[in-house]
Amino acid sequence: MNAETIKKASAIYFSLLKERVIDETSEHFESYFEPEVRQTVLLLADESGTYIIEAPKRIHLVVQPTGSVFATNFTHMRDKHNQVETKKQFHLMSVILMSFLASMDQNQVAKIRTKREGISFYSLERKVDELIMNWDRSLKSMPNFGDEERIDMKEVVTMWKYMEVDRADASLRKVNKRTRIGLIASSMRLLETEGLVVILDWDDIPKVIPKQELFERIEYLYHDYERYEFMKKLVSEEEGEHAEDTQD
């Protein structure tokens, strides 16, 4: 391994740390695929607990769920994303995010439609509401529902049920994050901050448009995690019982 290889690999890795994704327009894209450079970048990623995703036109850097020097605890995450205030709130936001991802991770027709039209915040609110109301009914007959799946169903259901829904004409620039639409907005901003979605129509009907980077994360990363597949199945089965159109 010569000095030039190390220099190129370091430049690529630190660019990925800063940008999270580099595409074919980046000065580093072609250099990455030089065999020795690529191996060095992969070594740097492995040693720091990060993971490289190689998509056709993009290279992603993501943090390993465990054992990473970049892994953060809840307090650090809350400092970075001030819309996340409590662990209870984060658990509910995780359900919202999983519902959003599951709605995209379907057949090719659904993916194309979602990529073209996006999903409105109000449609997503209905999807999450149906899911959580199903969980609420399950809890009445099975008080321990969710224990085996390591999900605090009671906490999630209670928090959601007593949240108000913002009026349709409310400005999301001043949205109350303690309402359902406000919490959905905060959840989608987490993805927006990571460069995975675009949020549009703030003053009309707000909607979220997934970027190609998000579909690549789903295909090349999330599908490798059993927990993701389990949660997607759980969310999809519950929503499927009362399926409806997701577009406004």
Side-chain angles (χ1 to χ4, degrees):
M1 187 184 302
N2 58 43
E4 184 64 22
T5 296
I6 295 174
K7 182 178 179 180
K8 285 185 179 181
S10 297
I12 293 168
Y13 187 70
F14 285 108
S15 178
L16 283 166
L17 280 177
K18 180 180 179 181
E19 305 295 337
R20 301 183 183 86
V21 178
I22 59 175
D23 61 24
E24 58 184 350
T25 65
S26 169
E27 60 179 317
H28 300 300
F29 190 78
E30 289 189 11
S31 297
Y32 171 81
F33 290 100
E34 296 176 19
E36 290 188 357
V37 173
R38 178 176 177 275
Q39 287 303 315
T40 304
V41 174
L42 293 176
L43 178 63
L44 289 170
D46 186 60
E47 289 296 318
S48 60
T50 53
Y51 183 78
I52 300 289
I53 300 174
E54 298 174 358
K57 297 182 179 180
R58 273 168 289 273
I59 302 166
H60 302 244
L61 182 73
V62 296
V63 176
Q64 295 279 16
T66 58
S68 173
V69 298
F70 298 106
T72 59
N73 58 30
F74 175 76
T75 301
H76 292 157
M77 185 191 67
R78 186 177 57 189
D79 291 340
K80 181 179 180 182
H81 302 287
N82 58 18
Q83 61 265 46
V84 182
E85 296 181 338
T86 66
K87 286 187 177 180
K88 289 183 179 180
Q89 188 184 62
F90 177 70
H91 291 160
L92 183 50
M93 290 172 72
S94 297
V95 173
I96 292 170
L97 289 167
M98 196 64 241
S99 294
F100 173 66
L101 293 175
S103 69
M104 294 186 299
D105 192 10
Q106 301 177 41
N107 56 54
Q108 192 63 25
V109 173
K111 289 181 180 179
I112 293 173
R113 181 184 180 187
T114 305
K115 187 175 182 180
R116 183 180 65 246
E117 302 177 9
I119 299 177
S120 79
F121 284 10
Y122 302 107
S123 293
L124 188 53
E125 188 275 332
R126 290 196 299 272
K127 285 173 62 65
V128 175
D129 188 56
E130 289 176 0
L131 171 66
I132 291 181
M133 291 304 101
N134 284 341
W135 286 357
D136 187 32
R137 286 188 285 272
S138 296
L139 282 168
K140 290 176 181 176
S141 58
M142 298 179 291
N144 295 324
F145 178 59
D147 290 357
E148 185 176 346
E149 293 85 1
R150 304 194 308 279
I151 303 172
D152 192 342
M153 298 288 193
K154 294 177 183 178
E155 181 180 273
V156 168
V157 168
T158 300
M159 186 174 182
W160 178 263
K161 283 176 66 175
Y162 292 100
M163 295 181 82
E164 295 183 3
V165 181
D166 292 322
R167 297 198 320 271
D169 60 350
S171 170
L172 289 179
R173 296 181 188 278
K174 301 177 181 178
V175 73
N176 181 349
K177 56 190 173 185
R178 292 180 175 82
T179 63
R180 292 182 183 180
I181 297 298
L183 196 62
I184 286 172
S186 294
S187 302
M188 295 302 104
R189 286 186 190 122
L190 292 178
L191 296 179
E192 185 183 45
T193 299
E194 296 299 314
L196 300 176
V197 302
V198 175
I199 298 175
L200 300 176
D201 299 333
W202 285 96
D203 295 317
D204 189 7
I205 298 176
K207 64 172 61 177
V208 58
I209 308 291
K211 296 174 67 175
Q212 182 60 29
E213 287 86 337
L214 183 55
F215 288 105
E216 290 173 354
R217 293 282 180 94
I218 291 172
E219 181 178 355
Y220 295 102
L221 179 65
Y222 300 161
H223 284 173
D224 289 335
Y225 289 106
E226 291 183 5
R227 183 65 173 174
Y228 169 79
E229 291 293 345
F230 170 78
M231 287 298 297
K232 186 185 78 170
K233 183 179 180 181
L234 177 65
V235 170
S236 300
E237 285 179 349
E238 293 290 345
E239 289 180 345
E241 295 179 7
H242 301 275
E244 69 171 55
D245 190 359
T246 60
Q247 305 298 323
D248 275 340

